[in-house]
Amino acid sequence: MMESSTQWLVIAIVALPGVAVLALGLSAWLRRLIEERAINAVVAVAFAGSAIAAAVLIAFTAATGAGGVIASAGDWFAVEHYHFTWVLIADRLSLPFTLFCALLVGLIGAFSRRYLHREPGYLRFYLLLALFGAGVELVLLAGTLDLLFFGWEIVGLASAMLIAFFNERAQPVEHGLRAFATYRVCDTGLLAAAVWLHHAAGSSTAVLPAPGATPWMGFVGPGDQFQATAIALLLLWASIGKSAQLPLGGWLPRAMEGPTPSSAIFYGAISIHLGAYLLLRSAPLLEQAPIARLMICLVGGATALHATFVGRVQSDIKSALAYASMTQVGIIFVEIGLGFHHLALAHIVGHAAIRSLQILRSPSLLHDHHQLERAMGQQLPRTGGHIERIVPAAIQPWLYRHALERGYIDALLFDFVVRPVLRLARELDHRERQWTSHLANGRARPTMLDQRDPVEVS
Amino acid sequence: MSYLLPAMTALAYCVSALVVRRCTSALNARSAATVFAAAISAASITGSGVAVGIRLPIDLVPTEAPYASAAIAIVALLAASLAPLASHSPRTFSRIFFLTAAAQACLATTDPLWIAVFWCASAWIAWAELSAATGAGISTRLFGLFHAVAGALFVLGAGLLSIGDSPTGAGLLLAGIAIRAAVFPGHSWFVPLLEEAPMGIAVAFAAPQLAAFAWVAASADQLPGAIANTVAGAAAFSALFAALLGLAQSNGRRAMGFLVMSQTNLVLTGIGSQSAIARSGAVFTWQSLCVAFAGFAMALAAIEARRGGLLLVAGRGNHAATPRLAAAVLIFGLACVGMPLTPGFTGEDLLLQGALSQGLQAAAIVATALNGITVLRIFLTVFSGRAPGTGEIDLRPSEVYVVGAVLAAMLAATALPRGLIAPASLRRAAIEPTGPSSGMISGNAEGKAKPHRSILPLVR
């Protein structure tokens, strides 16, 4: 009886936000004029319920000493030996996150009530926020890589749609598309990993850890080390996109075009850490792949160094905070690569809390500084003096220029990856038009060669 | 073998087409067509549900794709109800119904001669409308050229198979199927059709994907594995090629054309993958793509009719003025590429998990990723901006009911996909999978697939 109740609680953590999405989606389609208060109430009730369910489960596992609760809703669909199963895992890794995320989404919902008051897209914002929350809870509780991918894609879509929330302006739309393109390219890694894991290991379900191994359930690779390494590298590729690590982190500062509350929860708190979470959930697999762990350390370390310098020369607070987030997530990657899983877990929660607060307060930065200066009776002291001491004076101008140009990484990516791909696509399109014209007796058709890049990278 | 429900549905569409043709104005024709299509769709969905739920002594629906008839009926409903009046005359509405009737008739039979007749009839109807709408334009010429060849190859292949010349007949049959499914290099007719034809006609012709059905109907015991593998490989390449070209477009219709071409080729990749899982996924994707493509294309046609063009340049839309239209474009578009929370996700998941070749899987994964970018790019550019005074209106009430009902049906299919997946007894009829390990597909010593019972025996 108790076991059944706890399983229902696990399902409720995901189901309640899902119901909120359905309710808000239906009202948006029917164009019923719902009061802002009612919209808030739907989101608040859903995520409060989610948070309560997570809190009860934490209390239950703490009281009973159980490692966690596994809830299975059975096969969603199955053909031959392949089963897509709804397995949710509420354990020591996922439960703190689910509680934290449910609380944070609820808080952001309450904060946005005033921030977006009378905004034309008010309902759309809350619909996307609820969709994001449901996707995140699914990612956190997913017991199979297939299910994790399901939630992962929902999070990516909600993220891009919220970046492009102010769609009457060109920049947010462009940046939303850029973030989505980065997500899609990197999500190929997660999908390929899930498919590979099924073929090589027969299943992508998380399993209980061996005694003395990782402290929570996780995805396990096949016995063959080459395959385990390849799958781990695919997961790293997926994490790089979602967590804005080098060399694909250029979308993050641009993502701040969205409403501040969504920026806070996505890029200060939750979405940015999902890559790290995926790696933590894949800890048993990473144990089998030392090369992949080394790569995680390298990517994280390089990102942390790059972002800390670039962040210091930004002239707007949101970009500075975006790079600060990248720095911390890079350090978290290093911690995961080195095997400090509990440290990484604590680092994620602590960083998410402080960063989301900073982003939420960012529109009031000047006001806050004035208050601080009044309280101190003097100007705020300069920060970053240690960098000036560590870095030799001869290198400082070069480093400053490098940081101003954001490491030239976006430009290099555009010149050596995006532009050639688009050029190839346009060339193929040109040939295609020539061929069809030739087939239709030489009738001329306009070509696309003289037009601007359809996916412009600013 | 014949199936009663598609046959009855085809007959109903023929009668409706004759009635719609007599309407005096396009407005009346659209109203009448919407009512007829809604009634037939409701009957078809109910009939398919009955056929799946209750074992009857008669063959009501094709067993491997029990909801295909209902899906094609929904295509006709979307094509009729969202068709812009400026480009759709009463005769065009009538042809939409005749095209749907031909597609339903194909589902109703397993006789190769009758399939060939309906296959060619649908091509002729579409060509006639193209000729009337665009004159001797590029799309008409290309369509005529490619479909004359495809029809001839299919008829010849079916004929040779029936007299026992298996390898040659199978090769010709698959060549015809490949052209009809827009597999590279036989694809050049597809995008011009979607660019220039009245959208209702383009949708009614392309969305049912008769080529995919013909391959399923032909079944693998008639088709040597090596040939099937070749076509599956070509389809995977075509999916990737089209997905890449979709990124380079600045015209909404053309971008959509490459997007749909890419996804259609993924269906063919799954059918040719020689695995029961991939085959189930392909059939599922076929049915969901059928509806999603129709909704996506017709919603874009509605925007085009309101705006006078569909250039993918940001700043010309007004999301606040057309929120339902925007939602329809986004949801149908995402359903085309198999995003989660749409039925396409189930199909593509099965398709990827079942494909036995890593090359096919990689091509499918990358193509789907690129297509997702194209969908969001179309959505964001078409609905961005706050163009003043354009007078763009949202979906009309009748369109709201139709699109809302179709979205509800898609949600139900997403939540409960099992009913749309072929029963295990039929899946066993497909070529047995070689197990969970990866690797290239290989036929037996003669280069043929393992013999098995035909699902819809095209040639007995």
Side-chain angles (χ1 to χ4, degrees):
Chain A
M1 180 65 186
M2 178 63 82
E3 193 178 336
S4 170
S5 305
T6 52
Q7 287 176 345
W8 278 111
L9 283 175
V10 177
I11 292 170
I13 294 174
V14 177
L16 287 171
V19 172
V21 172
L22 271 180
L24 295 177
L26 193 63
S27 62
W29 180 257
L30 296 176
R31 297 191 79 173
R32 300 283 182 216
L33 290 174
I34 308 175
E35 286 186 13
E36 291 184 357
R37 191 180 300 175
I39 297 169
N40 275 302
V42 170
V43 174
V45 167
F47 285 94
S50 234
I52 291 168
V56 171
L57 283 166
I58 288 174
F60 170 77
T61 49
T64 60
V69 177
I70 300 173
S72 175
D75 288 344
W76 188 22
F77 53 86
V79 176
E80 301 283 330
H81 57 83
Y82 177 70
H83 296 251
F84 192 108
T85 313
W86 279 82
V87 183
L88 301 176
I89 298 173
D91 63 357
R92 289 173 189 169
L93 176 63
S94 59
L95 276 174
F97 277 111
T98 52
L99 175 62
F100 179 70
C101 291
L103 285 174
L104 208 54
V105 174
L107 280 172
I108 292 292
F111 179 88
S112 307
R113 188 176 162 189
R114 286 191 176 180
Y115 193 88
L116 292 170
H117 179 51
R118 294 194 174 179
E119 175 70 35
Y122 194 89
L123 175 57
R124 182 160 49 100
F125 174 83
Y126 276 90
L127 173 61
L128 290 171
L129 184 66
L131 184 66
F132 167 76
V136 167
E137 297 291 12
L138 195 54
V139 168
L140 298 178
L141 293 170
T144 69
L145 212 48
D146 310 302
L147 200 54
L148 195 147
F149 177 75
F150 190 98
W152 190 269
E153 289 286 290
I154 293 173
V155 170
L157 178 66
S159 172
M161 296 293 288
L162 274 170
I163 295 168
F165 180 77
F166 297 114
N167 51 27
E168 68 277 10
R169 290 190 284 122
Q171 288 287 76
V173 169
E174 200 173 291
H175 294 169
L177 184 59
R178 180 187 172 123
F180 189 73
T182 309
Y183 285 158
R184 289 292 286 186
V185 168
C186 291
D187 292 353
T188 56
L190 184 54
L191 186 54
V195 172
W196 198 334
L197 209 52
H198 268 284
H199 281 246
S203 164
S204 72
T205 308
V207 298
L208 287 165
T214 52
W216 41 67
M217 294 177 73
F219 304 118
V220 179
D224 178 36
Q225 194 175 20
F226 169 76
Q227 293 201 52
T229 303
I231 293 169
L233 289 175
L234 286 171
L235 293 177
L236 172 62
W237 176 246
S239 303
I240 285 173
K242 200 66 104 192
S243 289
Q245 298 294 288
L246 280 186
L248 301 176
W251 63 268
L252 185 64
R254 293 172 174 87
M256 296 295 177
E257 290 276 2
T260 298
S262 64
S263 297
I265 194 167
F266 279 64
Y267 315 117
I270 300 176
S271 181
I272 189 83
H273 290 113
L274 285 183
Y277 180 85
L278 172 64
L279 296 177
L280 282 174
R281 182 57 89 193
S282 309
L285 176 62
L286 297 179
E287 294 291 329
Q288 299 171 262
I291 294 174
R293 289 175 61 186
L294 176 66
M295 288 301 295
I296 292 170
C297 288
L298 289 176
V299 167
T303 304
L305 272 178
H306 163 79
T308 193
F309 289 122
V310 175
R312 284 166 201 280
V313 301
Q314 297 306 306
S315 54
D316 67 291
I317 182 64
K318 279 192 165 184
S319 294
L321 288 173
Y323 280 104
S325 287
M326 278 173 72
T327 308
Q328 293 303 318
V329 177
I331 295 169
I332 291 167
F333 267 51
V334 174
E335 290 161 2
I336 294 170
L338 294 175
F340 301 135
H341 298 125
H342 283 105
L343 177 62
L345 182 58
H347 195 162
I348 289 174
V349 175
H351 173 242
I354 187 70
R355 193 68 69 204
S356 53
L357 176 67
Q358 285 179 331
I359 295 178
L360 281 177
R361 290 298 303 174
S362 62
S364 313
L365 179 76
L366 292 177
H367 178 73
D368 288 353
H369 273 213
H370 287 154
Q371 267 197 330
L372 280 171
E373 287 177 349
R374 268 201 302 274
M376 294 171 69
Q378 62 179 49
Q379 279 198 329
L380 289 176
R382 284 183 67 233
T383 58
H386 61 288
I387 297 283
E388 291 169 14
R389 286 195 299 275
I390 294 170
V391 179
I395 298 178
Q396 283 183 15
W398 176 85
L399 194 60
Y400 181 70
R401 178 64 192 267
H402 181 83
L404 269 183
E405 299 290 347
R406 298 181 175 183
Y408 301 96
I409 288 173
D410 287 351
L412 289 172
L413 267 181
F414 184 68
D415 286 345
F416 292 103
V417 181
V418 179
R419 197 195 298 272
V421 169
L422 290 177
R423 190 176 290 158
L424 172 67
R426 284 198 301 277
E427 179 63 28
L428 287 174
D429 187 49
H430 177 61
R431 301 284 173 208
E432 174 72 20
R433 285 169 187 269
Q434 280 186 328
W435 170 240
T436 51
S437 300
H438 173 71
L439 283 177
N441 292 337
R443 284 165 184 261
R445 289 169 70 83
T447 69
M448 307 289 293
L449 286 179
D450 55 346
Q451 296 182 11
R452 71 193 282 270
D453 295 336
V455 184
E456 189 76 35
V457 177
S458 56
Chain B
M1 187 178 283
S2 57
Y3 301 101
L4 190 61
L5 186 69
M8 297 287 288
T9 312
L11 196 61
Y13 276 116
C14 285
V15 173
S16 305
L18 294 174
V19 174
V20 167
R21 194 167 193 159
R22 290 181 172 276
C23 289
T24 50
S25 70
L27 183 62
N28 290 343
R30 185 170 68 183
S31 303
T34 303
V35 171
F36 284 131
I40 298 171
S41 299
S44 183
I45 292 169
T46 310
S48 301
V50 168
V52 171
I54 304 169
R55 187 173 290 277
L56 296 172
I58 52 170
D59 293 313
L60 210 54
V61 291
T63 16
E64 190 168 10
Y67 284 94
S69 174
I72 292 172
I74 292 172
V75 167
L77 175 61
L78 287 165
S81 63
L82 273 77
L85 294 178
S87 54
H88 291 69
S89 65
R91 185 182 288 265
T92 311
F93 282 105
S94 167
R95 282 180 175 145
I96 289 173
F97 276 5
F98 277 126
L99 279 171
T100 310
Q104 294 279 5
C106 269
L107 289 184
T109 181
T110 56
D111 187 320
L113 288 177
W114 281 113
I115 287 185
V117 166
F118 296 130
W119 165 298
C120 294
S122 75
W124 183 80
I125 294 165
W127 180 81
E129 178 63 31
L130 262 178
S131 302
T134 68
I138 285 179
S139 57
T140 312
R141 286 163 182 252
L142 290 175
F143 190 90
L145 175 66
F146 278 90
H147 284 277
V149 175
L153 289 171
F154 188 83
V155 170
L156 203 58
L160 286 174
L161 274 177
S162 64
I163 60 172
D165 187 355
S166 183
T168 313
L172 292 174
L173 193 81
L174 274 183
I177 287 173
I179 293 174
R180 177 98 181 199
V183 175
F184 186 92
H187 66 286
S188 298
W189 62 273
F190 190 83
V191 176
L193 171 75
L194 287 176
E195 267 189 289
E196 295 181 8
M199 195 64 94
I201 289 291
V203 163
F205 179 78
Q209 302 167 64
L210 290 187
F213 168 74
W215 196 348
V216 171
S219 197
D221 63 342
Q222 305 293 337
L223 306 177
I227 298 177
N229 289 345
T230 306
V231 176
F237 171 77
S238 307
L240 202 53
F241 171 79
L244 190 61
L245 262 65
L247 290 177
Q249 305 307 320
S250 62
N251 177 292
R253 274 192 176 227
R254 196 166 164 84
M256 180 194 65
F258 281 114
L259 167 78
V260 175
M261 177 184 153
S262 176
Q263 292 296 126
T264 305
N265 273 290
L266 287 183
V267 172
L268 235 60
T269 307
I271 294 174
S273 282
Q274 312 268 307
S275 129
I277 300 172
R279 194 180 170 91
S280 292
V283 171
F284 195 103
T285 307
W286 162 36
Q287 294 172 81
S288 64
L289 179 62
C290 191
V291 174
F293 162 38
F296 187 53
M298 295 314 298
L300 284 177
I303 278 287
E304 186 187 41
R306 286 155 171 77
R307 199 173 291 175
L310 207 56
L311 278 180
L312 298 182
V313 178
R316 298 190 182 185
N318 192 338
H319 183 279
T322 54
R324 282 173 173 152
L325 207 41
V329 167
L330 181 64
I331 297 172
F332 283 126
L334 294 176
C336 283
V337 298
M339 277 292 279
L341 300 178
T342 70
F345 178 81
T346 303
E348 292 205 359
D349 189 60
L350 286 170
L351 202 154
L352 285 173
Q353 294 288 357
L356 295 181
S357 154
Q358 288 175 342
L360 294 186
Q361 285 168 340
I365 288 171
V366 175
T368 310
L370 296 180
N371 289 336
I373 297 171
T374 300
V375 166
L376 206 73
R377 180 169 161 252
I378 290 174
F379 169 76
L380 288 178
T381 49
V382 165
F383 292 102
S384 69
R386 188 171 282 170
T390 53
E392 278 185 18
I393 54 167
D394 207 0
L395 291 175
R396 293 173 290 109
S398 63
E399 293 172 336
V400 171
Y401 295 133
V402 168
V403 174
V406 174
L407 291 179
M410 284 171 58
L411 193 62
T414 306
L416 304 165
R418 291 187 203 180
L420 277 75
I421 297 173
S425 57
L426 286 162
R427 288 200 307 273
R428 276 197 295 276
I431 291 176
E432 292 296 327
T434 56
S437 60
S438 306
M440 294 300 292
I441 304 166
S442 58
N444 59 15
E446 288 80 36
K448 293 182 179 179
K450 283 191 275 183
H452 66 282
R453 181 170 62 83
S454 173
I455 295 167
L456 300 173
L458 180 68
V459 182
R460 289 178 291 258

